[in-house]
Every structure is written in structure tokens, then in C-alpha cells.
Amino acid sequence: MRGLLALLALVLLTGARDPILVPEVSQHTVEVRQGFTGTELLLFGAILNPEGTRAGRDYDIAVVLKGPIQSILVREKRKVAGMWINAESTGFRSAPLFYAVASSRPIRQIVDEKTAAIYELGLPSLQLSPIGTIDTPVQERFAAGLVDLNRRGQLYQEQDSGVKISEQVLYQARIALPSSVPTGEYTAETFAIQKGRVVASAISRVEVRKLGFEGAIVRFADQQSFWYGLLAVSVSVLMGWIAGRLFALV
């Protein structure tokens, strides 16, 4: 009897083991050159048992591509006397410059709000930490404005049926990077979800970098910020002086 119980426990424990994800990205480096019009990343992989065999269960997959994380100041514009002026403003400490989520089904159908918030699954679940203390309604208004602005610029994306799963083994998702995609380090995180619970996750890395003359300018600005600022001011003064001389000759 003891041997039978031990064997049953072993079978139950073996069957309850969570799967593993083997993720991959079509490009780990995206090179932004002059005339760059955007590109598309293919995020794909497999859902396997720890032994490396087919998992064979009903899993949902969600893929999140996010980065770089920076502080952002959001200003609200208001129309006064026929002119648009800056009114209230709020800063967010950790806002992604790019965020895209693709899932096999709508996020609200595969996880609850708490789980979505923990893993930042979906635009409503982004954790945008405000700088300072502000009222919750004000924070929500500015957060919604930031999300809407970036969504219209294709920097924030959400695809409810963007992940295709084949035979409960292979998955793939395509995420478009617009021409205005920010440079920096990105994380591509894949989540396997079953019965509302995240049972496995895995991360891949993607780097977006500028090359050529524009890349050299960006590196110079990052590494020599003082001299870059001084050069920019000098060029502006020189261009202003040249424009003034040209108008004087007319």
C-alpha cells in the first residue's frame, strides 16, 4: 500500500510540473539607418515539458516587448483665448518608451486584473509610477493621456489575437516597430498561462541602435554632453548670424 501511494504521489507530482518556454527573436539587433521606415519583429518559440517533450496542455501565450524605461514628463494643453498653452503637468518615474503586447486571446479572458497588473499584461495594467504625490483621478487622467498619445504614434500596441499557437507546442507573434522607435535595450518576455495562472515565463533581449552619421551624433551627445550642447549653441548662433547677413543684403 505504501509503495502504491508513493507511486501515485510521484505520478501526480510529475504531471503537475510546469512547462518551460524556449523563446527566440528574429532579430536581436535592429539597426536604424538613414531612411529607416520601420521593421517587424517575429517572436517565436516552443512550450515544452522539463524533459524537452511536448507539453500537450491548453496554454495561452502572451508576449510583451518593452523598453527602454525612462522618466517622462506629461503636459496637458489647454485652449486659452484661442491659443493652446501648457497647463498642468505630471511626471512618471518608470514609463516605457515602447510597449507592445500580443496574446492568443484577449488578456481579460485569460487572467484577472490582479495577475495582469503583476506582470503588466495589457495597456490598462502598465505600472506608471508618478513622481511625487498626486490625486488618483489626476494620475489616471495623465496616464490615460500618455497611453493614448503613444498608441496613436504606434509606440504602444495591443494585439488581442496576435499570438498563433500550433499543436500546443509552437507559438509565434509579429510586432511592428515604427520608424520612430526609440533606441536602447528592449526585453521580449513570453508568458505561458493556464487557468488564469502564469505557469512559465522567459526573456529574450533586443537592442535598437542607430548607425551611420545619426548614430555618431547620438553617441557624441551621450558621451560628451557638455561639448555637444556647446556645439549645438554655437551652430545655432552661427546660423542666426548668417541668416541676418543674408537678409541685410536683400
Side-chain angles (χ1 to χ4, degrees), residues 143-222:
L146 174 63
V147 170
D148 179 66
L149 181 65
N150 284 328
R151 194 166 193 168
R152 284 187 279 124
Q154 298 183 340
L155 295 177
Y156 282 7
Q157 306 171 22
E158 195 167 26
Q159 303 178 43
D160 287 341
S161 301
V163 177
K164 299 184 184 301
I165 303 176
S166 302
E167 303 296 331
Q168 284 295 304
V169 179
L170 304 177
Y171 68 87
Q172 65 171 354
R174 297 181 182 274
I175 294 178
L177 300 181
S179 58
S180 57
V181 61
T183 57
E185 297 287 338
Y186 288 67
T187 59
E189 190 163 10
T190 305
F191 301 92
I193 303 167
Q194 185 184 42
K195 296 180 180 179
R197 186 174 71 94
V198 175
V199 296
S201 64
I203 295 179
S204 298
R205 306 288 179 181
V206 178
E207 181 184 4
V208 178
R209 61 186 183 185
K210 288 187 176 181
L211 296 180
F213 178 74
E214 293 181 358
I217 293 295
V218 171
R219 289 191 295 272
F220 178 66
D222 289 339

Side-chain angles (χ1 to χ4, degrees), residues 66-78:
K66 179 171 61 175
I69 306 298
Q70 290 187 6
S71 297
I72 292 180
L73 180 64
V74 181
R75 288 189 173 92
E76 188 177 54
K77 288 189 175 182
R78 185 174 301 165

